[in-house]
Amino acid sequence: MTPDIDPAAVPADPTIEELQSRAMRLAIGAAALTLVLAVYARSQDLLRTDEPLRSANGRIFWVIAILSAMGFGFVVSRMSNERSRSGIANVAANSAILPGIIVLSMFQFVAWDSRIVIVVSAPLLAGASVFAAVIVRHYLLSGDHAVHRGARLVQSALTGGAAFLAISITRGWMADVVFTFVTIFGVSGLLLYQAFDGIRAFAVRRVAYAVVGGMVVAELAVTLRYWPATGWFGGAILATVFVVLMLIVDAILTHRVSTELMARNIGIGTCVCAVLAFLAR
């Protein structure tokens, strides 16, 4: 059983105005960081053949990008003022996972494609995504059943989008098997773990499902290295597998799993992957 939370031991829930103000400050910070790194990446003219951190060209960019993403995640966790009326214990650091991966994915994006349209649009997308992630997490943990379903759908969409962008671009780099496997495993595992926030489940079960899911996506990513498809199509297939795993595990943890649900999710995922594979020929 999850231990009860002493209301006096946690901060009071923020008002809507406070929540929106906090989310806006974080969104502006994400947009500003992305813009600065986008301008820097454009000035460096990074190549898609430059393997992150290992290639001499752009190494400074990647050190700055990784440290900036970690710093941003730390700020998000410190600014988090969450509590769960549903009695589910939460770790403030969990709140940093989705925003942190969103900005890191945007850093990858502007390094991978530094055209002026990307330099302008990526900061806006980063800011809007972080704003939505902060707001939706509050409602996801609020215990208000009237908004929980909608919050879960938005969080799943944000998680799937972040997975698609991060996985697609990771495949796009001319990197070796170890880099591809470790990066995609880490991103997929972390995103799966935070995707189940607000669900009554032991932490060890969430970790186990996240590890297994991350392994499945990473193993498939390594296999797809030998298939001559563009990064976006291959990434879309991996993101589809990721979303199917996320939906199935969510159903398991919330005790809604059934043979019909499993068959429906796997069937739809298989059809989407087949269409993507056909288009990628």
Side-chain angles (χ1 to χ4, degrees):
M1 296 292 292
T2 304
D4 293 333
I5 299 176
D6 181 5
V10 294
D13 288 329
T15 63
I16 297 300
E17 291 76 14
E18 291 172 339
L19 176 65
Q20 292 177 342
S21 175
R22 179 193 310 157
M24 183 58 68
R25 293 198 302 272
L26 290 171
I28 292 172
L33 279 174
T34 304
L35 178 61
V36 169
L37 284 172
V39 172
Y40 181 55
R42 184 174 173 82
S43 70
Q44 295 294 301
D45 193 23
L46 302 178
L47 303 176
R48 296 182 184 181
T49 54
D50 295 332
E51 185 176 347
L53 290 180
R54 294 188 180 182
S55 171
N57 182 32
R59 184 174 296 166
I60 295 177
F61 170 88
W62 287 109
V63 170
I64 295 173
I66 292 172
L67 292 177
S68 296
M70 293 174 62
F72 183 77
F74 176 77
V75 171
V76 173
S77 65
R78 289 300 298 263
M79 291 181 67
S80 176
N81 189 25
E82 63 191 32
R83 62 183 296 183
S84 173
R85 295 193 189 97
S86 60
I88 302 170
N90 298 291
V91 179
N94 290 1
S95 62
I97 295 176
L98 184 55
I101 291 180
I102 286 172
V103 297
L104 186 58
S105 300
M106 289 300 167
F107 297 163
Q108 280 190 285
F109 193 22
V110 298
W112 198 64
D113 188 346
S114 56
R115 291 175 298 166
I116 189 64
V117 65
I118 303 300
V119 172
V120 173
S121 60
L124 298 176
L125 182 58
S129 299
V130 167
F131 181 87
V134 173
I135 295 293
V136 77
R137 181 176 172 81
H138 168 79
Y139 287 110
L140 192 65
L141 301 178
S142 67
D144 186 349
H145 297 291
V147 298
H148 187 271
R149 182 175 177 80
R152 176 68 65 193
L153 289 173
V154 175
Q155 189 206 35
S156 297
L158 287 170
T159 300
F164 167 66
L165 188 59
I167 291 172
S168 296
I169 298 176
T170 297
R171 290 189 71 249
W173 298 110
M174 300 301 179
D176 59 22
V177 173
V178 174
F179 175 87
T180 301
F181 181 89
V182 171
T183 302
I184 292 180
F185 169 72
V187 168
S188 301
L190 286 171
L191 286 176
L192 281 172
Y193 180 76
Q194 66 82 38
F196 311 130
D197 279 341
I199 295 177
R200 284 184 176 274
F202 289 109
V204 66
R205 291 189 68 197
R206 292 178 55 187
V207 170
Y209 282 122
V211 169
V212 172
M215 289 285 289
V216 170
V217 178
E219 289 282 2
L220 182 57
V222 171
T223 302
L224 290 182
R225 283 172 53 87
Y226 304 100
W227 177 45
T230 63
W232 295 115
F233 281 109
I237 289 175
L238 292 171
T240 300
V241 173
F242 172 90
V243 171
V244 170
L245 288 171
M246 179 174 64
L247 293 175
I248 290 175
V249 175
D250 182 276
I252 292 173
L253 293 177
T254 54
H255 309 290
R256 297 182 295 105
V257 68
S258 65
T259 302
E260 180 183 356
L261 183 145
M262 294 274 287
R264 182 171 64 249
N265 286 334
I266 293 174
I268 293 174
T270 301
C271 291
V272 171
C273 288
V275 171
L276 291 170
F278 176 80
L279 295 175
R281 292 188 306 168

